[in-house]
Amino acid sequence: MQNRLLSGATIAVMAFASLAPSVGAQEQESSQDDRRLNIVTITAQRVEQNLQVVPISVTAIDGDALDERQIDSFDQLQYIAPGLSFNAGLNARQSASTIRGIGTSLFNIGIEGSVAIAVDGVVLGREGAGILDFSDVERVEVLRGPQGTLFGKNASAGVISIVTKQPTDEFAAEFDASYGSFNETSVSAAISGPITDGVKGRLSGYNNTRDGYITNINPAAPQSDVNERNEFGVRGKLKFDSSDTFDLTLGADYSKRDQSAGALTLRSVSSPGPGTGLLGFGVQVIGPVSASVGIKPGPDNKQIASNGTFESEMESYGVYAEANKQFGDFDLVSLTSIREWKSFDNNDADLIPLPFLAVNNADLDQNQFSQEFRLVSPRDQALTYTVGAYYFHQEIDQTNTQSGTAGLNLLGALPPGLLLGTDLISTVEETNMALFGQAEYALTDKLTAIGGLRVLNSDISASLSRSITPGAVGPFAGQSITASPLTGDTDDTAVVWRLGLQYFINDDVNVFTTVSRGYKSAGIVSGLTINATQVGGTALPMVEPEVPVQIEAGIRAVSMDGRLVTNFTAFRSEIEDFQAQALVPGPSGTSIFSVTNAGSVETYGLEGDITLLPVDGFTLSTSFAYTHATFQDFPDAPCYALQTVGPNGCIDTNADGRGEFQNLNGKDLAQSPEWIINALARYDFALTQNLDAFVQVGAQYRGDAISSNTNDPNTVLDAYMLVDAQLGVKFWDGRGALSIFGRNLTDETFVEAIVGQAFDTGGYSQFQSFESEQSFGVKLSLDY
């Protein structure tokens, strides 16, 4: 079939690989005289296109490049994709990405993140369901900026599109195994090929394990090491080519994680003073107890002394069917999917051997159904277009329990032996429907006009009930029970659009400019500490839709007879009613994850990719993202713990000396470093007549950023640079490779997040990822 459609993101994309030899910068097998970069085709617009001619900024990284940089999971993607940050949080429910400074890490099932995740074209209802292993992945595309015109569902900050490998026409088999520091073991395998006439299939699987890198020094603890890794998964596909004008792909996948994870470590403890310490009563507990067991809080601290368990269990599975039918020169595509995501987690947030929070768990079940139809016009006409319809429905059920003493027994407010506890039952149901289309019209042989439109309706409802945990004497500190369920409902219709022009200076150089309006649905605020909007009422708080408007301009160029590719994109976005979450002081000295709308946010910057083939066998590449992301209108932002009261701090409107809000106009957004720079050097050479060898060195620099949207100066994340390297040999006619690798070679110490420490007002804890550890390993790869 001509113009065969493949699953992928549904929007216009300009993609170029930021790291050779990734998607956009692969060296062709040729002599030195005609050696040039091969600009690889992607399917981000649901049609095969040269990524040098699609006018949007994207980093596209193929599966081989992911393997060669030891990037094998979603949470590591930020280390090679400029402009992307990932906050792992305590669990998959809270984990979230930011692109160009826009994104929200949420403890809230009623609000979704600003970055959409798609697997083989299927949009996932919550980002946590997409924290997958990258085994058997064809490529990953990180699409920056609002992408709502052709892309199903919310994507106000961008899209991360994961495209898995398809069945092959010929028999093929793949096997990868590696072993490294902390007993890190990864094994994956795949088999693919024809089954019978007109039918071919692919089956793959993986298993990853690693010891924990955070030590629990409490001898009575149920786990001695935490933040481990333990996961496996399988994926299968069948493709039926029944005729030259019709094919059908059926796919199914299952993945599971069951690991002791989600542990923070103490970064600092509170100093004595009014409002500090245990629940803000001026009594220091976390500091003295942690010191008594030998813990030294600080940026390098990798020890805890918890008496509770750390659990992170997750299951994700689903099926999909993609049918492609050709009617003359037109293609009709149907993509149907059913998915389910289950997550259970528990963590001991006080990090010391006291039952402040003896139980702190959540059990979530999310299921979704989606259906999309697309009609794609012929690609060889002056006017080309894609039109379609989209339907999505999901239901989310979550139960939470928090129980313990909350330290009130030490304050004489709770008799010894008694516990407080709250059980939460919350639900969310959402239906999203849309009609969409995008067209490109060649005004001349060099100038093309671009226009896109999406009309959508989003209907969301939620409910929440809280009760006292059986055996407890009252609700947990700072929480209350509900006499009747709290509910909320929002139904809104929106229009998303995109306009642009693209001019081809010649076959190798083009420039473009676009303006886009994105959209993220309104949300309903839910959680253990969330109360009705009015005393005695039953209405849950809500946040308004998040609406970005972005202007982009870029240039795409190939020069030096195809041996140099340079791509640059400048952008500016203004986001109205940005949905911001912050950990803020709550009642009874507790902390609350609050969600509110900021009036407006501005982000602007420049992104670039440069890849050069200077001499035979040698590849140099670099990519960068400069992003300046600030609040423009947020005069009533929440304060942070112990913030100074005054006109330039936490503003006190009722003269009680405590302060109610602060003005964040002009302040930085969280998790948004100004500079992210990647670089890679790789040299391939002949070692012997039968053996080839390679050596590569990669580096990434991330500038400093702030971890909290309250702009708490104690949550500044320092800049750092990571260096990795790999040395290997290829054998068996290039189908086998044996390599040794090293990560974080300079042993750089860094953290991904800093938050206020539970039960210690004025103290802070931190999340350290495995990438903050120096590690080494060996890897074997075989392809047949």
Side-chain angles (χ1 to χ4, degrees):
M1 181 190 302
Q2 295 179 348
N3 304 320
R4 171 63 67 218
L5 302 180
L6 301 177
S7 60
T10 54
I11 59 167
V13 176
M14 174 58 237
F16 173 72
S18 62
L19 295 171
S22 53
V23 168
Q26 293 181 348
E27 181 185 349
Q28 292 181 349
E29 295 294 333
S30 60
S31 67
Q32 171 66 14
D33 291 338
D34 61 358
R35 181 172 173 265
R36 54 189 288 127
L37 288 168
N38 179 25
I39 305 304
V40 176
T41 298
I42 62 169
T43 57
Q45 209 168 214
R46 297 292 176 92
V47 290
E48 293 186 347
Q49 289 181 299
N50 182 326
L51 47 75
Q52 283 295 106
V53 300
V54 188
I56 294 178
S57 177
V58 170
T59 292
I61 310 164
D62 72 4
D64 291 339
L66 292 170
D67 289 341
E68 289 163 356
R69 294 298 298 274
Q70 307 301 313
I71 303 297
D72 60 9
S73 64
F74 182 92
D75 49 356
Q76 297 174 312
L77 188 60
Q78 63 175 325
Y79 298 112
I80 58 173
L84 172 68
S85 294
F86 180 76
N87 183 359
L90 299 179
N91 51 63
R93 295 180 298 114
Q94 184 203 8
S95 300
S97 301
T98 63
I99 294 178
R100 292 177 171 173
I102 304 302
T104 306
S105 175
L106 293 168
F107 265 122
N108 199 301
I109 65 171
I111 304 172
E112 63 184 322
S114 302
V115 178
I117 308 298
V119 180
D120 289 330
V122 176
V123 181
L124 305 183
R126 286 296 181 266
E127 185 170 344
I131 304 177
L132 306 170
D133 179 90
F134 282 157
S135 172
D136 211 38
V137 165
E138 181 69 29
R139 66 183 177 276
V140 178
E141 301 170 7
V142 180
L143 290 61
R144 307 180 186 96
Q147 308 291 347
T149 305
L150 288 178
F151 201 90
K153 207 152 159 40
N154 299 331
S156 58
V159 174
I160 299 175
S161 176
I162 302 168
V163 181
T164 63
K165 293 182 179 180
Q166 296 293 324
T168 54
D169 293 326
E170 304 294 334
F171 176 79
E174 301 173 12
F175 175 79
D176 292 279
S178 65
Y179 179 80
S181 305
F182 296 87
N183 288 319
E184 183 180 24
T185 302
S186 296
V187 178
S188 63
I191 186 170
S192 178
I195 298 175
T196 186
D197 290 343
V199 181
K200 53 189 175 182
R202 186 176 188 92
L203 180 64
S204 65
Y206 68 89
N207 186 80
N208 301 318
T209 61
R210 186 194 65 229
D211 294 343
Y213 55 94
I214 301 297
T215 302
N216 193 338
I217 63 174
N218 180 4
Q223 301 145 329
S224 59
D225 295 304
V226 294
N227 290 9
E228 64 178 9
R229 186 180 187 186
N230 184 21
E231 59 187 0
F232 71 91
V234 294
R235 176 181 289 113
K237 292 184 179 182
L238 290 173
K239 187 171 184 179
F240 302 85
D241 291 304
S242 60
S243 70
D244 291 338
T245 61
F246 179 79
D247 66 57
L248 172 67
T249 300
L250 302 178
D253 64 271
Y254 175 86
S255 61
K256 182 175 182 179
R257 287 186 173 184
D258 185 0
Q259 51 201 31
S260 303
L264 302 173
T265 63
L266 287 173
R267 184 178 181 89
S268 64
V269 296
S270 63
S271 300
T276 67
L278 181 58
L279 300 179
F281 281 92
V283 178
Q284 273 59 49
V285 177
I286 299 291
V289 172
S290 61
S292 70
V293 297
I295 291 178
K296 297 180 180 179
D300 298 328
N301 175 32
K302 295 180 181 178
Q303 293 182 328
I304 60 175
S306 298
N307 62 332
T309 60
F310 291 87
E311 299 177 71
S312 180
E313 302 175 10
M314 187 176 76
E315 286 183 286
S316 179
Y317 47 89
V319 296
Y320 81 93
E322 180 177 343
N324 296 268
K325 174 64 177 177
Q326 188 174 18
F327 296 94
D329 292 330
F330 289 82
D331 287 300
L332 178 64
V333 182
S334 170
L335 180 60
T336 309
S337 175
I338 300 173
R339 296 202 61 83
E340 186 163 3
W341 173 48
K342 295 182 178 181
S343 174
F344 176 82
D345 56 82
N346 186 82
N347 70 82
D348 188 359
D350 56 71
L351 305 177
I352 59 173
L354 292 176
F356 286 177
L357 196 52
V359 177
N360 181 28
N361 65 42
D363 195 343
L364 177 145
D365 188 351
Q366 180 256 355
N367 60 79
Q368 66 176 67
F369 169 81
S370 63
Q371 173 65 57
E372 185 172 38
F373 294 103
R374 300 190 309 277
L375 179 66
V376 183
S377 73
R379 299 287 96 183
D380 57 355
Q381 306 295 316
L383 175 65
T384 62
Y385 56 86
T386 299
V387 295
Y390 179 76
Y391 176 85
F392 175 92
H393 180 81
Q394 72 171 340
E395 297 179 2
I396 307 175
D397 299 300
Q398 180 172 298
T399 61
N400 297 72
T401 296
Q402 285 189 339
S403 68
T405 66
L408 292 176
N409 58 323
L410 302 181
L411 300 175
L414 183 69
L418 299 182
L419 298 177
L420 303 174
T422 306
D423 289 343
L424 168 71
I425 298 176
S426 55
T427 64
V428 168
E429 186 171 353
E430 177 187 9
T431 300
N432 186 292
M433 296 181 290
L435 297 174
F436 61 87
Q438 179 169 295
E440 302 84 24
Y441 182 70
L443 299 172
T444 71
D445 60 347
K446 292 181 176 294
L447 182 63
T448 299
I450 305 163
L453 185 70
R454 187 182 193 93
V455 180
L456 64 89
N457 176 263
S458 177
D459 186 354
I460 305 173
S461 60
S463 67
L464 175 159
S465 298
R466 286 191 296 263
S467 59
I468 297 174
T469 302
V473 297
F476 196 70
Q479 300 171 9
S480 61
I481 63 172
T482 55
S484 57
L486 308 184
T487 62
D489 185 88
T490 175
D491 187 335
D492 55 303
T493 299
V495 176
V496 176
W497 49 262
R498 181 170 183 253
L499 297 172
L501 291 171
Q502 185 174 21
Y503 183 75
F504 289 83
I505 299 173
N506 54 48
D507 290 343
D508 294 326
V509 181
N510 69 86
V511 294
F512 68 88
T513 182
T514 61
V515 58
S516 305
R517 183 185 192 268
Y519 181 81
K520 187 175 85 166
S521 301
I524 303 173
V525 185
S526 178
L528 280 160
T529 56
I530 303 302
N531 295 318
T533 55
Q534 295 181 344
V535 176
T538 60
L540 284 168
M542 293 191 291
V543 291
E544 296 296 321
E546 184 176 286
V547 182
V549 176
Q550 173 185 270
I551 299 174
E552 271 192 348
I555 182 171
R556 308 292 182 245
V558 180
S559 57
M560 292 178 59
D561 195 26
R563 294 166 55 190
L564 174 65
V565 174
T566 52
N567 295 332
F568 298 98
T569 305
F571 66 91
R572 181 187 179 277
S573 297
E574 184 170 327
I575 300 91
E576 295 294 330
D577 292 320
F578 174 68
Q579 297 171 359
Q581 172 172 287
L583 183 63
V584 299
S588 306
T590 57
S591 296
I592 294 175
F593 283 97
S594 173
V595 184
T596 187
N597 287 113
S600 67
V601 163
E602 180 188 60
T603 175
Y604 63 83
L606 178 68
E607 297 148 354
D609 301 287
I610 303 172
T611 301
L612 173 66
L613 305 178
V615 297
D616 190 19
F618 191 35
T619 305
L620 293 173
S621 67
T622 185
S623 59
F624 69 87
Y626 169 78
T627 306
H628 186 76
T630 58
F631 292 106
Q632 292 299 295
D633 181 22
F634 202 9
D636 53 355
C639 300
Y640 57 84
L642 302 181
Q643 185 173 5
T644 302
V645 176
N648 296 321
C650 194
I651 300 171
D652 183 7
T653 59
N654 56 13
D656 63 359
R658 292 187 298 178
E660 294 82 39
F661 58 86
Q662 62 172 318
N663 188 336
L664 287 182
N665 291 356
K667 301 297 184 180
D668 292 340
L669 268 69
Q671 297 291 339
S672 181
E674 282 200 337
W675 284 100
I676 300 178
I677 303 172
N678 289 327
L680 182 72
R682 180 182 173 100
Y683 184 53
D684 292 88
F685 57 97
L687 189 63
T688 68
Q689 185 175 0
N690 298 318
L691 290 178
D692 293 327
F694 63 91
V695 59
Q696 70 177 33
V697 178
Q700 186 206 62
Y701 170 82
R702 295 177 73 88
D704 56 19
I706 199 154
S707 185
S708 167
N709 269 327
T710 60
N711 229 248
D712 185 346
N714 296 292
T715 67
V716 171
L717 305 171
D718 293 333
Y720 63 89
M721 185 170 73
L722 298 179
V723 179
D724 63 87
Q726 188 173 167
L727 174 65
V729 294
K730 295 182 178 180
F731 55 92
W732 197 17
D733 295 329
R735 292 178 292 172
L738 180 65
S739 61
I740 57 174
F741 61 85
R743 295 174 294 205
N744 193 3
L745 295 180
T746 58
D747 202 15
E748 184 87 8
T749 297
F750 68 96
V751 299
E752 284 190 1
I754 302 173
V755 298
Q757 169 57 25
F759 308 104
D760 190 28
T761 306
Y764 292 86
S765 54
Q766 60 197 1
F767 178 78
Q768 298 162 310
S769 68
F770 180 67
E771 283 64 39
S772 66
E773 299 286 346
Q774 186 182 69
S775 61
F776 300 92
V778 60
K779 182 174 183 178
L780 173 66
S781 298
L782 300 174
D783 294 321
Y784 178 78

